[in-house]
Structure formats: structure tokens, C-alpha cells
Amino acid sequence: SLREVIANPHNIELRERMIYAEFLGTLAFGNSGVGIDHALSHALGATCHLPHGLCCAVFLPSVLNYNRRDENSAKLYAELSRGLFPFETNKMTESQAIDYLEKQIEKLSEECGTKRTLSSFGCFEESMIPKIAAKASRDGNVPRNPIVPTVEEFEEIIRKVL
């Protein structure tokens, strides 16, 4: 698990398992595509020269919250939450299970040191929001997202992580 690797960064066996998990994730992305989390991360990373994975971690909770408005996505998020946390979510509604998933993602991000705000990056200025939103809206991953945001909606998502 990611938590174990962070706690034991010199454990080669744990690191090999994480690399394998990353490989499997990459295969899944190649099969299904990615959405606006990556579109926003491409735009922010290119503008501020930040690592893509860090940008994805910063945007993920807000993107999940945005996408849950799509009925099918909400069902899938609740199913994922129940699969990952079966005991905790057993008696929860769909909405509560999604809320729980969001909180667990934020908790993991905090434990890993990736829970950041955009203002915590020395390179980011609020005046960049329209440029980043416009870049994100033109990204090839946007059509794969369950909801295609307007430029204004991209700006709202970015503002949530200021």
C-alpha cells in the first residue's frame, strides 16, 4: 500500500509492489481513458512546471465532487467506496458513501504530503485561472469525462483548490 511505502521508503519489495500497481493503473487508463482531473493537471503542470501526479492529487477531490452530479458516476463512486470500505459504508446512502470516499482520498493525500492548495505553490497566481481553465477545456481528455465542463466550470473547480 502507498501508506506502507511512505512509512518504509527503503523497502524494495514494497516499492516493487507500488510500481506494479502503477503499471496496472496505466493499463487501465490506456483502456478507458482519463477525464478532467488529468486535463486540469496537464494545464496546471504546463503553466507552473509542476509534477503531473501532484497536480492530479490536488484536483482529485474537487473533480470527484464535480463528477458526482452525473448519475452513473455517482453510482460508480458509491460502488468504489463500498468496495474499498465495506464495513464503514455498509449502511450509508449513495451520497454518504461518496462523501466518505472523498474524505478518505483527502486523508490519504494528507498522509502522503500531496494535500496542497494552489496558493501553496510559489508559482501560482490567481490571475492564471482563466488561462489554466482555457487550456484544460481544450485537453483531449475532456470528452472522456462524464460531464463536459464549460470554461467557467473549470474555473470554479480550480478556485476550490486555491
Side-chain angles (χ1 to χ4, degrees):
S1 109
L2 184 56
R3 287 180 177 101
E4 291 172 336
V5 171
I6 290 172
N8 303 293
H10 301 294
N11 184 318
I12 299 301
E13 184 180 335
L14 290 175
R15 293 174 72 91
E16 285 174 353
R17 283 194 231 154
M18 288 304 303
I19 290 170
Y20 183 64
E22 179 195 12
F23 168 72
L24 293 177
T26 302
L27 289 178
F29 288 164
N31 244 358
S32 63
V34 293
I36 62 170
D37 186 52
H38 288 268
L40 284 160
S41 298
H42 292 151
L44 177 64
T47 304
C48 294
H49 308 287
L50 296 168
H52 181 68
L54 177 60
C55 296
C56 285
V58 168
F59 284 119
L60 184 59
S62 296
V63 168
L64 190 149
N65 191 275
Y66 175 82
N67 284 338
R68 74 187 289 177
R69 296 183 297 170
D70 174 71
E71 189 177 318
N72 189 51
S73 295
K75 285 181 179 153
L76 292 171
Y77 289 148
E79 184 180 322
L80 175 62
S81 184
R82 290 183 176 117
L84 291 171
F85 312 105
F87 301 110
E88 298 89 336
T89 60
N90 185 33
K91 297 185 193 261
M92 290 183 181
T93 66
E94 182 177 274
S95 182
Q96 290 169 330
I98 297 168
D99 290 343
Y100 191 81
L101 177 64
E102 282 183 49
K103 286 183 178 99
Q104 292 307 306
I105 290 170
E106 288 182 1
K107 180 180 175 188
L108 178 62
S109 189
E110 194 170 311
E111 291 171 12
C112 296
T114 58
K115 185 171 175 156
R116 307 270 303 268
T117 60
L118 295 181
S119 53
S120 73
F121 299 120
C123 60
F124 182 80
E125 296 174 16
E126 199 167 342
S127 63
M128 297 173 162
I129 292 174
K131 177 182 176 182
I132 293 169
K135 271 187 184 181
S137 72
R138 295 188 303 269
D139 191 280
N141 292 302
V142 173
R144 294 184 176 124
N145 203 66
I147 305 169
V148 175
T150 63
V151 173
E152 292 77 19
E153 288 173 315
F154 273 114
E155 289 181 8
E156 287 174 30
I157 294 168
I158 296 167
R159 282 191 174 83
K160 286 184 180 183
V161 293
L162 282 177

